[in-house]
Amino acid sequence: MNGWNGDDTIYGFGGDDVLVGRRGIDLVVGGPGDDYVTGSHGPYPDDDGVSYGGDGNDRVSGGTAYGGDGDDIMWGAPEAYGGPGNDVIRGGRYIDAGAGDDIVNADFGDSTIFGGPGNDVIRADRWGDADAARDALRGGDCGAILVEPIQGRGGIRTPPAGFLGDLRRIADEASVLLIADEVYTGLGRTGHWLACEAEGVLPDVVALGKALGGGFPISACAGRPEVMRRWGASSGEALHTSTHQGNPVGCAMALAVLEVLEREQLIERVRTAGAAALERLERDLAGCPSVVEVRGRGFMIGIELDSPASALRVIEAALRSGWILIGESEDLRVLSLTPALSIPDSLLESGLDRIVELCGS
């Protein structure tokens, strides 16, 4: 079967070297349950700037542990610890800004989330509206803005131009952190190392996962050293931990994936091939009665259809002919096209041919 949806896999079927960890336990440094991986990839090269975990949820919850100047800390457990004397902030339920479907008091797809003590999540109702973010911060009790640069499960929704830059400025003005959930969008998916780079925005903290291990479960929370060091030095206790945090095999996998991305120049390839694929779909699907919009960036493309039934029909027909598509958005009416970054040109063209045929039939 030709796998089309490769959001967990960077290199695809031919990437055996991605599965080879050339270095093992010596890569992992740090105290018990507080493991970091050395390396110089990405925008936060300092050794203290990356914490590795088992999956994307680990790192999203890890990212929300940092708020403002360290006094306003959000956490994904029933209690949060922050401020002088380890003051307890109550009511911090799990915050997931990935798709919006698991967010307390938030409608599906509203992935610009503001957390504050005593009020689990403060929601900006208009995703993509920077003024809503500014209004939500006026109370002064928020420690961070958590945003998905391009919504994945929410329907492959790209924000208005300048939105991320506006959030960066708003966060700086309010002295809070900007946290980017790049579990879906990061590591080349959009044709950039991070989707935020398209607007020249550097978040304070970034959550990574999915493609980081080329299919192996590993995630990372990367950030500015001065932010990550707010944990303080461990005297032996686990400051922040999960069962598989800092897994040596996962860390070796991640380093191999980063090496392949650079060596094969896959990110540059995705930027070019993704733009061409998007242009072709927009052209070939123009005037198709069932197609509402084609949108996306790089190898993260969404085709919104006029109904969930139309999307299901295309998904089932594609599966019968050997192509895997996923429905996104609240009612799954958006077809998600996220092929492996190394998909051969001929296979990419065949997939696009079939999708155009099915959407137009």
Side-chain angles (χ1 to χ4, degrees):
M1 176 174 289
N2 299 320
W4 182 269
N5 238 286
D7 57 338
D8 283 355
T9 305
I10 278 183
Y11 201 67
F13 296 109
D16 293 340
D17 53 349
V18 173
L19 305 179
V20 178
R22 284 171 289 282
R23 299 175 291 277
I25 292 177
D26 58 311
L27 292 171
V28 183
V29 297
D34 195 17
D35 302 320
Y36 297 92
V37 178
T38 61
S40 59
H41 293 280
Y44 311 106
D46 193 285
D47 289 352
D48 292 338
V50 182
S51 172
Y52 276 59
D55 60 27
N57 286 336
D58 285 349
R59 295 309 95 197
V60 171
S61 62
T64 58
Y66 305 92
D69 59 2
D71 295 336
D72 298 320
I73 294 182
M74 298 176 297
W75 188 234
E79 297 179 350
Y81 299 88
N86 285 331
D87 298 333
V88 176
I89 301 173
R90 295 285 183 178
R93 293 179 228 158
Y94 189 76
I95 298 174
D96 179 0
D101 52 344
D102 292 325
I103 296 173
V104 180
N105 295 330
D107 292 335
F108 189 97
D110 289 324
S111 291
T112 305
I113 301 304
F114 307 88
N119 188 21
D120 308 325
V121 174
I122 301 174
R123 171 169 54 103
D125 292 300
R126 302 175 301 279
W127 185 80
D129 184 348
D131 289 336
R134 183 176 284 105
D135 291 343
L137 292 174
R138 294 192 190 282
D141 58 353
C142 294
I145 300 173
L146 174 58
V147 62
E148 194 175 21
I150 297 176
Q151 289 191 329
R153 303 304 180 206
I156 316 295
R157 296 205 299 171
T158 56
F163 175 62
L164 297 179
D166 289 340
L167 289 185
R168 175 71 277 176
R169 286 185 289 274
I170 291 168
D172 291 341
E173 292 168 1
S175 298
V176 303
L177 298 183
L178 178 62
I179 303 174
D181 175 1
E182 296 247 17
V183 170
Y184 198 138
T185 58
L187 299 177
R189 172 58 51 196
T190 67
H192 299 271
W193 281 100
L194 299 176
C196 291
E197 288 183 282
E199 289 197 24
V201 171
L202 179 63
D204 300 297
V205 179
V206 174
L208 297 169
K210 288 189 180 296
L212 181 61
F216 190 91
I218 187 171
S219 59
C221 180
R224 294 188 291 108
E226 58 268 33
V227 175
M228 303 297 283
R229 289 177 184 146
R230 293 299 298 184
W231 287 115
S234 170
S235 59
E237 76 279 17
L239 298 177
H240 175 50
T241 187
S242 66
T243 301
H244 300 290
Q245 184 170 359
N247 180 281
V249 176
C251 292
M253 293 278 289
L255 288 176
V257 164
L258 296 175
E259 180 182 329
V260 168
L261 283 172
E262 290 185 329
R263 187 181 71 233
E264 303 287 335
Q265 297 183 317
L266 290 178
I267 294 177
E268 294 79 2
R269 188 264 175 141
V270 168
R271 190 180 309 146
T272 301
L278 183 64
E279 181 181 1
R280 181 197 164 174
L281 288 171
E282 289 175 334
R283 180 186 68 246
D284 292 354
L285 295 177
C288 180
S290 65
V291 175
V292 175
E293 184 182 19
V294 179
R295 55 181 179 260
R297 187 182 302 155
F299 277 179
M300 186 174 178
I301 297 175
I303 302 174
E304 182 177 347
L305 300 184
D306 58 359
S307 70
S310 295
L312 181 60
R313 175 186 59 79
V314 173
I315 290 171
E316 290 179 342
L319 185 60
R320 284 193 294 269
S321 56
W323 299 95
I324 301 174
L325 299 175
I326 293 177
E328 307 281 28
S329 80
E330 182 176 8
D331 58 7
L332 307 180
R333 71 173 61 215
V334 178
L335 302 177
S336 171
L337 280 60
T338 55
L341 308 194
S342 60
I343 185 173
D345 290 338
S346 59
L347 192 59
L348 177 62
E349 288 302 316
S350 297
L352 295 177
D353 289 342
R354 184 59 174 150
I355 289 168
V356 169
E357 178 186 356
L358 292 174
C359 289
S361 62

